[in-house]
Amino acid sequence: MDTNTIIYIAVAVVLGLIIGFIIAKSMEKGKASKLISEAELESKSILKQAKSDAEALKKDKILQAKEKFIELKAEHEKVILSRDKKMAEAEKRIRDKESQISNELSKAKKSNQSLEDKLKDYDFRLEFLEKKKEELEKAHKSQIKQLEVISGLSADEAKEQLVESLKEEAKTDAMAYVQDRVEEAKLTAQQEAKKIIINTIQRIGTEEAVDNCVSVFNIESDDVKGRIIGREGRNIRAIEAATGVEIIVDDTPEAIILSCFDSVRREIARLSLHKLVTDGRIHPARIEEVVKKTQKQIEQEIIEVGKRTVIDLGIHGLHPELIKMVGRMKYRSSYGQNLLQHSREVAKLCGVMAAELGLNPKLAKRAGLLHDIGKVPDAEADVETPHAILGMKWAEKYGEKPEVCNAIGAHHDEIEMTTLLSPIIQVCDAISGARPGARRQVLDSYIQRLKDLEAVAFGFNGVKKAYAIQAGRELRVIVESEKVSDDRAASLSFEISQKIQTDMTYPGQVKVTVIRETRAVNIAK
């Protein structure tokens, strides 16, 4: 094949390719135009549909807006109508007020007019009365002159004679009346007073309990006595030293006697022994621990006794310190008579007697209960002050009324009585103490002697505790080991015995025992 042929074939192939490309392009162009026309038709239909939807939406929104406008308009009209209604009601009220005010003004005008007319009438009457008064005075003066001429006395002289005669007559009548009343009062007063006192005593009848100086502690068997005594008597000495109570262990079967003039110490010893015997552990350290716990228990019991007492008597608003003092009365006695029972009885007697006399029974009960609080002093320094004055000071300190304070201070005539309550307290105190079997003079003087014996020991430096035991025949003194040496303990015993011998009167002999104890305590950790 030659070159020309190849060229022709190549040209034919190229032309064929070009013609094929042109035909393909034309065919593709036809398809594209067809697609474009279809897209245009579809877009026109979409636009048409969108326009119709927009028109429908527009109409719907317009309808909703119209409905909302109508609703708002209706609500606005309602508000306007309610405001108009309120304004109409307010205008009506104003018109009513105006009409009422105008009516009241017209009435006031009428009243003023009537008042002015009455004032004019009164002025006229006053002028008329003044004229009449002047005429009467002239007539009276003329009559007095005529009487003076007839009697030969002036008006002032006649008045003086008349007044003097009336005075004498009235004085005579008054003296006769007063004398009759005084005689009647003398006849009936004493009888009425006796009647009131007898009725009061009959209504308040109580059993008398005379305090003793010993308590009996019962035990189950005599074997317990040995455990209480301890080896070489160390347990019984520890109990006596801790409580200040004399423990008497004798041949009395199943009983131990506790002897002490102080009821509190005796009760502490009794309760401590009961705890020790019940527990079974009895040794000096345990004894001291139990005694301390029992002392706290007794202090709490004192407060409870005071609370129960004031509740039973119906006394309210009493200061806590006074309640505590009332509780301490349970462990005090006066001439052998229990102080709390005595004070309760006096309170009841005072309440009944005050009611009979028309006074305040609650205030009388209060004063009756507190009249002897001065007999339970907190400190030794208070013992020197009379108990009535001391009780009055405490009552004033803790806010009691002046009537109560005066009744407490005056029930033994230490101060002047200023209220009717004071003699009632004095009488009821005497009634309670004068009951048969209520008091024993000898016991009170015995207890006072033992207290004075202990007070002598407390007058020396370094003394921590002092107990009068053996019915006052022995004074047991416990000193502080840091302040008192062994040599000083011996001289202290001699000095105390000399002081007792010089200052006190007592039967027999008094043994003075000074105890000095040294303890060394360490704790292992």
Side-chain angles (χ1 to χ4, degrees), residues 267-282:
E267 183 67 9
I268 290 171
R270 189 185 69 80
L271 292 175
S272 301
L273 269 176
H274 179 72
K275 290 179 182 178
L276 289 167
V277 171
T278 304
D279 184 46
R281 293 177 294 164
I282 305 176

Side-chain angles (χ1 to χ4, degrees), residues 325-343:
M325 290 177 188
V326 171
R328 282 208 295 268
M329 288 183 186
K330 179 182 177 182
Y331 299 104
R332 293 289 185 273
S333 63
S334 176
Y335 297 99
Q337 185 181 24
N338 183 270
L339 197 57
L340 181 60
Q341 295 298 329
H342 165 66
S343 298

Side-chain angles (χ1 to χ4, degrees), residues 277-290:
V277 171
T278 304
D279 184 46
R281 293 177 294 164
I282 305 176
H283 53 82
R286 176 65 178 163
I287 288 167
E288 291 180 0
E289 179 187 350
V290 170

Side-chain angles (χ1 to χ4, degrees), residues 382-445:
D382 294 334
V383 176
E384 298 178 359
T385 307
H387 75 272
I389 302 298
L390 186 61
M392 181 183 70
K393 289 179 180 178
W394 283 345
E396 289 173 349
K397 179 181 177 182
Y398 297 119
E400 289 299 315
K401 293 184 178 180
E403 300 96 318
V404 176
C405 297
N406 181 258
I408 295 170
H411 79 277
H412 285 311
D413 295 321
E414 271 89 2
I415 62 171
E416 184 182 356
M417 296 183 182
T418 57
T419 64
L420 286 174
L421 201 62
S422 302
I424 292 175
I425 305 302
Q426 189 179 51
V427 168
C428 294
D429 179 43
I431 290 169
S432 176
R435 286 183 184 276
R439 294 188 170 186
R440 293 192 304 200
Q441 298 282 349
V442 177
L443 179 63
D444 200 65
S445 60

